[in-house]
Amino acid sequence: IDCADEETAKRIAEAVQVVVTAANQSIPLARLDGITFASDYAAALNNLDRGFGTCTPLTPTDEKYGVGVAMAPIVLRDGVLKARIVMRGDFGHALIGEDEQTKGLAIHTLVYELAHVGCVELVEQALPGVMLSRIEDEFDAERYACIDPAWSGYFAARASAAFRENAGADYLELFLAALDRALRDIPEARLAYRFHGDVPKLFRPSLKYVSAILQHAANLIGHYDGLQKSPLDSKGKLAAALNKVGLCAWFDAYQVDLQTLWDHRGEWKSFEE
């Protein structure tokens, strides 16, 4: 959309097909609806025909937690649940460019989103219809919105790890930034709560910080699990940050939980899992 002439679009499509074919060897892609590159990424997300009604518009990632460049939202096509990948237009150009570093980033980003498409297949195979079902309990619904990008992010990072082995440094920086922001802002919200006593006013804003921590930690763990390496860096930045907030034991337990979800992929017995 508004980012390539016909000849360039054809070259990008050919490059995409090579990546999709390679990824499809380990990621189920039957539910891939298609891939859109757009010069105006936010508008492309907002204008996407999803095939079903939703009260939550698609928006890019909050730039406080990293620049949003791609997403794979679910869509409904002829009664079949699929996922449509939407990416910034410059990533399409990077796939056919000469700069190997930029091309590598674009390939990795595309495979990461293809892995999200694979997640749709795994969930729908095990629990048909659950992805479009409504969570009746409001508190559970808010909590699931918080963890959904975390477990699926783990899957995507693990499945795409081999396509860009040095992505771990980026995942680490994003996780550390999420921790720092939570450490700065949540205590202020807790202090304010002592005066206003409004639980939702404390809970809802804090949830975005928790969600960012869960998602970036899951990406970090998933990437290194995909490489069969430890997420602990040689400079000790991760260990120091976890020690500072007393989350070392939590991080280990979280890694085990995510690994268990991966090991049981496609064989889940209920949504509660």
Side-chain angles (χ1 to χ4, degrees):
I1 301 175
D2 298 331
C3 63
D5 57 34
E6 186 175 350
E7 179 59 31
T8 304
K10 182 179 178 181
R11 290 174 58 211
I12 292 173
E14 291 170 351
V16 166
Q17 186 60 56
V18 172
V19 177
V20 170
T21 300
N24 196 206
Q25 295 180 30
S26 56
I27 300 171
L29 295 178
R31 293 182 186 266
L32 176 61
D33 177 60
I35 301 169
T36 298
F37 293 94
S39 60
D40 190 336
Y41 172 60
L45 284 176
N46 187 61
N47 296 331
L48 177 64
D49 176 13
R50 304 191 67 186
F52 60 89
T54 175
C55 58
T56 306
L58 292 171
T59 57
T61 303
D62 187 333
E63 291 194 5
K64 297 185 185 73
Y65 302 106
V67 178
V69 298
M71 192 181 296
I74 58 173
V75 297
L76 194 63
R77 302 289 186 246
D78 298 322
V80 178
L81 198 65
K82 295 188 175 185
R84 180 85 190 186
I85 295 175
V86 181
M87 300 184 71
R88 265 181 17 189
D90 53 334
F91 276 66
H93 288 275
L95 289 172
I96 59 173
E98 299 297 325
D99 188 285
E100 292 302 319
Q101 184 174 350
T102 306
K103 182 184 292 186
L105 174 61
I107 291 172
H108 178 252
T109 302
L110 177 54
V111 177
Y112 181 92
E113 297 304 331
L114 289 169
H116 276 289
V117 178
C119 281
V120 176
E121 173 70 10
L122 292 172
V123 175
E124 279 296 290
Q125 277 187 352
L127 308 167
V130 74
M131 294 190 77
L132 284 181
S133 62
R134 177 182 174 86
I135 301 176
E136 296 299 332
D137 184 274
E138 184 179 355
F139 180 58
D140 279 348
E142 289 186 279
R143 290 194 301 149
Y144 187 74
C146 183
I147 67 163
D148 176 52
W151 78 262
S152 59
Y154 172 85
F155 274 51
R158 182 162 177 168
S160 61
F163 286 82
R164 185 169 172 252
E165 294 190 12
N166 63 353
D170 295 335
Y171 288 135
L172 175 59
E173 291 306 315
L174 288 168
F175 174 59
L176 295 179
L179 266 184
D180 285 343
R181 186 169 291 277
L183 285 171
R184 186 184 69 236
D185 293 355
I186 289 181
E188 292 181 7
R190 289 170 61 188
L191 181 61
Y193 169 73
R194 295 184 184 183
F195 297 95
H196 61 64
D198 186 340
V199 172
K201 196 173 179 180
L202 167 66
F203 175 71
R204 290 194 174 95
S206 299
L207 204 60
K208 66 181 180 181
Y209 299 109
V210 175
S211 181
I213 289 171
L214 290 173
Q215 182 177 356
H216 291 308
N219 280 332
L220 177 63
I221 293 169
H223 178 76
Y224 282 104
D225 280 354
L227 299 178
Q228 297 185 317
K229 295 180 179 179
S230 168
L232 294 173
D233 58 296
S234 59
K235 295 181 180 178
K237 293 169 68 175
L238 175 59
L242 293 172
N243 274 319
K244 181 179 179 180
V245 290
L247 288 180
C248 289
W250 167 80
F251 192 85
D252 292 341
Y254 188 45
Q255 182 170 17
V256 172
D257 283 345
L258 291 167
Q259 290 170 342
T260 301
L261 269 176
W262 173 273
D263 291 340
H264 294 166
R265 61 191 182 280
E267 299 176 358
W268 308 296
K269 303 302 180 185
S270 70
F271 180 67
E272 283 65 32
E273 281 192 67

